Amino acid sequence: MATTDPKAIKKYTDSLQTEVDAAYLYSRVAAAEEVPAIANMFRELGEIELEHVSKMTEKLLRDGIKITVPPPSWRARTLNRIGKLLGYGYIIGVLMDTEKSITAAQLAQKEKNHVPISGDEANHVKILQALLSSKSKVSGEHISRIEGKHKSIGGNALRAAVLGANDGLVSNMSLVMGVAGATDGQSGVLLAGMAGLLAGALSMALGEWISVKSSQELYERQMDLEMLEIETNPEGEMRELALIYTAKGIPEAQAHQMAAAAIQNTAHAHEILVKEELGINTEELKGSAWEAAITSFLLFAVGAILPVIPFFYTSGYMAIGQSLAFSTIGLFVIGAAITLFTGKSIWFSGFRQVLFGLAAAATTYVIGKLIGVSIAG
């Protein structure tokens, strides 16, 4: 007899959706991958996910649960579009998180049902880790490709965009509501809102500039010191290279041979030691501190301008109401965008963001109102 329990059906639908989305994203990453060996690995992972979907559906039918396999979700399709624009490095990170969540769910279910753990539950996590690890059997050039994509700015830029706009919106909405509460939405709100926008955006931009610039300067100094060590003590650096290779599982004799060959090319030895010993990704040094600062300024300003807009053309409670309306829409959009990182429901994340943002605005409005009454009295 087929189950009609909505919670059970939703649980199975969510599980199928996760598998379908993973298969879809693996296929998209594979299609975008230029290295055939790596593309085949991602393609096979996608095919395995589709097999999981098929077997899960068959089992549910045997248990009397009729369920329709869903198409790729809005989230998966949006992630694919982001991958096309910004690179698929961030998508690989999302897939890693998805595989970890699937593994955790499988282990919890087996523990609940007292089913022995086989050790195969985390196979996909291990495969992805191998692809993103220097211990992989794929060539060093291929690994560099994957690591470069995984650490690319695509995912970080997306996260920074959402969080930067959120900071601007919440902080400036709170400021605007505080001043509006003190003045009933009359004089001073527009000035305070624009001052808050500029102050916050400039602060964010300066902080980002200092962060990027100081990191670059630190990395450059460490890299210069490493080059100096190679030039003044090549034997010692060769031993370090041999230890690095040995730690990767390469036989000791072969590790020493590889180290001796690598040290003959100073630039190549420096590149290896910078990456393996210092843990520095040289791609990060190519970023512009000014570009990061300007981007942070604009992202903060985009969020911060929303609660201010109505005060350009109206005032009083009309402006306050419209300001809250614009801010509510912005908060919901930001909450929906956060689901790209978390995988939660759009409605859940959107309304949660609205609730927290409006709670902050209400608090500052009440405080402003009290201060305004106190001053007037």
Side-chain angles (χ1 to χ4, degrees), residues 54-76:
S54 178
K55 292 184 180 298
M56 187 184 299
T57 306
E58 291 173 3
K59 181 181 183 303
L60 292 174
L61 287 173
R62 288 197 303 269
D63 294 342
I65 301 173
K66 295 181 180 180
I67 195 166
T68 303
V69 177
S73 68
W74 169 89
R75 175 175 179 260

Side-chain angles (χ1 to χ4, degrees), residues 144 147-148 151-153 215-216 219-220 222-224 267-276 278-288:
S144 296
E147 288 184 339
K151 296 176 181 178
S152 68
I153 63 168
S215 295
Q216 289 176 337
Y219 289 160
E220 288 168 357
Q222 291 176 329
M223 291 169 66
D224 289 342
H268 181 54
H270 183 253
E271 181 182 349
I272 296 173
L273 286 165
V274 163
K275 178 182 177 183
E276 302 293 349
L278 302 180
I280 295 175
N281 176 20
T282 54
E283 291 296 318
E284 295 177 1
L285 298 179
K286 298 178 182 179
S288 166

